[in-house]
Amino acid sequence: MFADRAKIFIRSGKGGDGHVSFRREIYVPNGGPDGGDGGKGGDLIFVVDEGLNTLVDFRHVRKYCAGDGQEGGKKKCTGANGEDKIVKVPPGTIIKDAETGKVIMDMSNKKEPVVLLKGGRGGQGNRHYATAVMQAPKYAQPGQPAQELWVQLELKVIADVGLVGFPNVGKSTFLSRVTNAKPKIANYHFTTLNPNLGVVDLAEGAGFVIADIPGIIEGASEGVGLGYEFLRHIERTKVIIHMVDGASVEGRDPIADIKAINEELEKYNPEILKRPQVIAANKMDTLMEDEVEDIISLLKEEFEPEGTRVMPISAVSGQGVKELLWHVNSLLAELPDEPVEFEQEFFPDVYQDVSGPISVSRSEEEEGVFLVEGPRVERMLGYTNLESEKGFAFFQNFMKENGILEELENLGIEEGDTVKLYNLEFEYYR
């Protein structure tokens, strides 16, 4: 089975903690603080590898973590930076947030490495906190926490042209004739389990990449058969060749087939049907000339008023194939060169952001207890050493500047009442 989806856990490195130490030298009796800074955490980086064409490797390894920064050392030594983690993906890979399904990054046009999760900044050593008042600070800054995320990888093949149609209409035969692809060909449904790609070379350097999108039948958009597994691959194509069995060799109605598949494409993603489409009526070499004219007239009458050109071909004999390819090439010439790219909808930095409202409330369970909560409060506690003078002064200033003390007074707090900030509790005094 073609591996085109994988769910993995990614994590950047945590920043190293700052160090607390003091100079202890025989000739320096009053040595000052010399704690070094922590090292930066490693970044989580995605890179496109042209040599990959599936996501199968991600089914065996599901966790990708960058290295943590080392703690600072004595004598102002900075800790080593954490090692970056590089994740290689095939061209056309889309990275989505696993929880929301929103696009984080489309790697189709990315030539350079992309830092998806940044490593945490290293904390400052205690030498940064020495002042005239506090000459021997016993406080150092912790390193920034790591960023982590569950992501869904999806591979959507990059092709200029998508070849769609019911099974057994001759798509694989057509692809093998016009490109260097060698798809399996047999007369039963879902023969093609991989989206086959091939390059069409026309004269004077013209040409394009074409993909045979297999398994599209009625109900495909709802997961019937294998259709849903492959519909995603047509989202990148700029032009669609819709192939039908014009000769009705299997007794199918070509007009009904075209409408059925277009309906599946619209259910899956309405934007697909806004792209140029060409109908290739195949197997015309099996009919008499007047029969061909009748069928093509019916198809043209039905679809050409909508702007969809109908062209008779034979994938076996090659009849009409060259004309079809040049028409498709002319449609592509009017469209942008870059592959269809999906816009970013989810921003990991915002997801990891700790800014937000601070909640101040009375406890409903305990009398005389007030609760202070919020991401900024939680992060402040993680960065602050309340046992040090400077750390406690910083904490008091935080409470005042963010209006927490004022809000507590508005709620009627009295001296001796308890204030809870997660794991921290203290009695309130003016």
Side-chain angles (χ1 to χ4, degrees):
M1 188 67 180
F2 185 68
D4 63 351
R5 282 186 298 175
K7 183 179 178 180
I8 63 171
F9 174 80
I10 57 175
R11 175 186 178 276
S12 63
K14 175 189 176 298
D17 294 338
H19 190 68
V20 176
S21 62
F22 301 89
R23 293 177 66 188
R24 292 290 183 266
E25 299 176 29
I26 190 168
Y27 299 113
V28 187
N30 298 314
D34 68 349
D37 301 340
K40 176 185 174 297
D43 295 331
L44 195 291
I45 302 171
F46 275 82
V47 176
V48 172
D49 186 340
E50 298 287 346
L52 299 176
N53 53 23
T54 76
L55 299 174
V56 68
D57 291 344
F58 295 98
R59 296 191 173 182
H60 306 298
V61 182
R62 294 184 178 270
K63 293 184 75 174
Y64 297 83
C65 302
D68 293 337
Q70 289 187 355
E71 182 184 356
K74 299 178 180 179
K75 299 181 180 179
K76 303 180 182 180
C77 289
T78 300
N81 292 336
E83 186 175 350
D84 294 338
K85 182 65 177 180
I86 295 176
V87 182
K88 295 181 179 180
V89 294
T93 300
I94 291 180
I95 307 164
K96 294 183 176 181
D97 172 51
E99 184 177 349
T100 64
K102 293 183 177 180
V103 175
I104 299 173
M105 187 64 61
D106 184 345
M107 300 297 292
S108 62
N109 294 326
K110 301 295 183 291
K111 307 299 182 186
E112 301 296 328
V114 175
V115 177
L116 203 74
L117 298 181
K118 296 177 182 177
R121 187 179 61 247
Q124 293 183 325
N126 69 331
R127 62 193 175 92
H128 293 280
Y129 299 97
T131 65
V133 177
M134 185 184 293
Q135 297 183 8
K138 298 179 181 179
Y139 169 76
Q141 186 184 37
Q144 272 189 336
Q147 293 185 350
E148 56 185 44
L149 207 58
W150 278 96
V151 296
Q152 182 83 33
L153 305 181
E154 289 189 3
L155 180 59
K156 300 177 190 283
V157 298
I158 301 176
D160 302 305
V161 178
L163 183 60
V164 302
F166 272 85
N168 306 332
V169 297
K171 294 193 275 82
S172 295
T173 303
F174 174 79
L175 193 71
S176 63
R177 167 172 283 277
V178 303
T179 75
N180 55 0
K182 294 180 173 58
K184 295 177 182 178
I185 300 171
N187 188 31
Y188 52 88
H189 289 190
F190 303 120
T191 303
T192 313
L193 294 185
N194 296 352
N196 286 305
L197 265 71
V199 178
V200 175
D201 289 321
L202 299 173
E204 301 171 2
F208 49 84
V209 179
I210 187 171
D212 173 11
I213 311 296
I216 301 179
I217 59 173
E218 288 178 89
S221 63
E222 298 164 5
V224 174
L226 299 175
Y228 186 78
E229 295 295 320
F230 301 111
L231 273 169
R232 66 174 56 88
H233 294 298
I234 204 170
E235 289 185 272
R236 286 204 193 276
T237 57
K238 302 174 186 175
V239 174
I240 297 171
I241 296 177
H242 197 145
M243 186 168 287
V244 291
D245 177 4
S248 300
V249 173
E250 294 189 347
R252 303 187 62 89
D253 179 355
I255 293 178
D257 282 359
I258 293 169
K259 289 184 175 180
I261 287 189
N262 278 345
E263 188 175 329
E264 293 304 315
L265 295 177
E266 186 173 27
K267 284 180 184 176
Y268 180 75
N269 183 350
E271 292 296 316
I272 294 175
L273 285 189
K274 294 180 181 179
R275 294 166 197 169
Q277 187 173 140
V278 184
I279 294 173
N282 192 24
K283 305 185 182 181
M284 291 292 98
D285 57 323
T286 63
L287 299 176
M288 301 296 289
E289 189 173 335
D290 56 341
E291 292 178 306
V292 172
E293 290 180 2
D294 290 344
I295 291 170
I296 296 303
S297 295
L298 288 173
L299 288 170
K300 287 185 174 181
E301 184 178 327
E302 183 70 34
F303 298 104
E304 288 200 343
E306 302 172 1
T308 303
R309 185 167 173 184
V310 177
M311 304 186 73
I313 68 163
S314 169
V316 173
S317 69
Q319 174 189 343
V321 169
K322 187 177 290 185
E323 291 82 355
L324 172 65
L325 296 178
W326 277 107
H327 175 65
V328 170
N329 192 70
S330 66
L331 292 175
L332 288 170
E334 299 172 2
L335 300 171
D337 289 337
E338 293 296 325
V340 176
E341 185 171 348
F342 296 84
E343 293 184 5
Q344 186 172 5
E345 303 169 319
F346 187 91
F347 299 85
D349 286 342
V350 174
Y351 170 80
Q352 305 288 343
D353 189 10
V354 293
S355 61
I358 295 175
S359 169
V360 182
S361 61
R362 280 181 176 271
S363 172
E364 296 179 358
E365 301 172 355
E366 300 174 85
E367 185 69 22
V369 175
F370 294 77
L371 307 176
V372 179
E373 298 174 325
R376 287 163 58 200
V377 175
E378 193 172 11
R379 188 168 189 180
M380 179 274 299
L381 293 175
Y383 270 76
T384 308
N385 180 6
L386 296 176
E387 294 179 1
S388 71
E389 292 178 30
K390 186 163 185 175
F392 190 76
F394 174 80
F395 167 72
Q396 288 180 310
N397 195 42
F398 177 88
M399 297 281 285
K400 184 177 180 180
E401 286 186 351
N402 287 278
I404 297 172
L405 296 178
E406 183 181 354
E407 186 65 23
L408 288 169
E409 291 174 1
N410 291 340
L411 291 173
I413 194 169
E414 297 178 358
E415 290 196 355
D417 285 347
T418 301
V419 179
K420 284 188 177 181
L421 297 88
Y422 296 96
N423 295 327
L424 172 69
E425 292 185 20
F426 67 89
E427 290 186 353
Y428 176 79
Y429 292 100
R430 286 186 176 87

